[in-house]
Amino acid sequence: MRVFLSLAAMVPLMLATGSAMGQDEEAEAESYVYASYFICDVTRQDRADELIKTNSAPVYDAAVKDGTITGWGWLAHHTGGKWRRVQYHSASSMEALFAAQADIQAAMEKAGVDNDEFGSICGMHDDYVWKGVAGSGGNLLATSRGKVGLSDYHICKMSKEGDAVELVKNVFAPVYNDHLGEGKLSSWGWSEHIIGGKYRRLATMTAEDVPTLLKMRASIFAALQDNDDADKFTEICGSHSDYIWEIQVENP
């Protein structure tokens, strides 16, 4: 049996939270993330990073400060598929999440931000909205995350997705929590699909560097190797795509 449940970024994004989600955590504010996964010209993607940090960052930082959004981030591809960059922002409700888009766009225009050059570099993207379900912070975004993240984008049987969530909360969470700490994972999270493409669940974990990230992933796999409940999870979410992200910008 092989367990495909390595909990990063993003999402962002990072996209992307130390204890199973119990009754106290369920009472916490909900967390939604709007993540745009960009396909970019790899010969110019570093320039896209510069544009985000110079043009977009001040506007998004101001939106965090005034409460328009609860956070935002920019992630760079390290290993994985066609997505090269992720930009995300978070809010406590769907209404706030989408309202923030219009507010931020207006703020961009007021600031005179021209995104034509960025669009010429990263001209295609896929959008997803995720809702945090469980993780080291109880929500999608952890309070303390590492510098790199591993994201597993799962394809699941929709009729059984609720069972997968219960397995994460009751079976996997204690194992992930045991792997949190100095020299281990910085955070982990589990999110559900609200809007977007074929991926139905997002498992994330972060660490300070890639070797630590992969070491903890292997240790988690070993800890769950002979767990019958882990087999039940793979029956529900049996296909996935993995990405490793470098977390270039994150606020908070």
Side-chain angles (χ1 to χ4, degrees), residues 6-10 12-15 37 75-86 145-153 202-215 217 240-248:
S6 48
L7 303 170
M10 133 90 283
L13 263 154
M14 138 198 69
L15 100 230
Y37 298 87
L75 315 180
H77 176 282
H78 178 285
T79 303
K82 64 181 181 180
W83 293 332
R84 301 301 303 180
R85 295 295 188 269
V86 186
R145 298 184 355 123
K147 297 177 182 178
V148 295
L150 175 63
S151 296
D152 287 351
Y153 301 91
L202 169 59
T204 67
M205 63 180 176
T206 71
E208 284 301 297
D209 52 60
V210 172
T212 300
L213 194 66
L214 297 180
K215 180 180 178 180
R217 183 182 194 237
H240 73 289
S241 296
D242 294 331
Y243 280 78
I244 296 176
W245 301 105
E246 296 176 351
I247 302 174
Q248 290 200 357

Side-chain angles (χ1 to χ4, degrees), residues 25-44:
E25 290 168 317
E26 288 174 345
E28 293 181 1
E30 293 181 335
S31 183
Y32 294 85
V33 168
Y34 192 112
S36 295
Y37 298 87
F38 289 96
I39 299 171
C40 307
D41 179 350
V42 296
T43 66
R44 301 168 63 207

Side-chain angles (χ1 to χ4, degrees), residues 17-19 136 175-182 184-188:
T17 54
S19 60
S136 51
V175 177
Y176 284 99
N177 290 335
D178 286 343
H179 287 77
L180 291 167
E182 186 176 354
K184 298 181 179 181
L185 295 182
S186 302
S187 67
W188 68 271

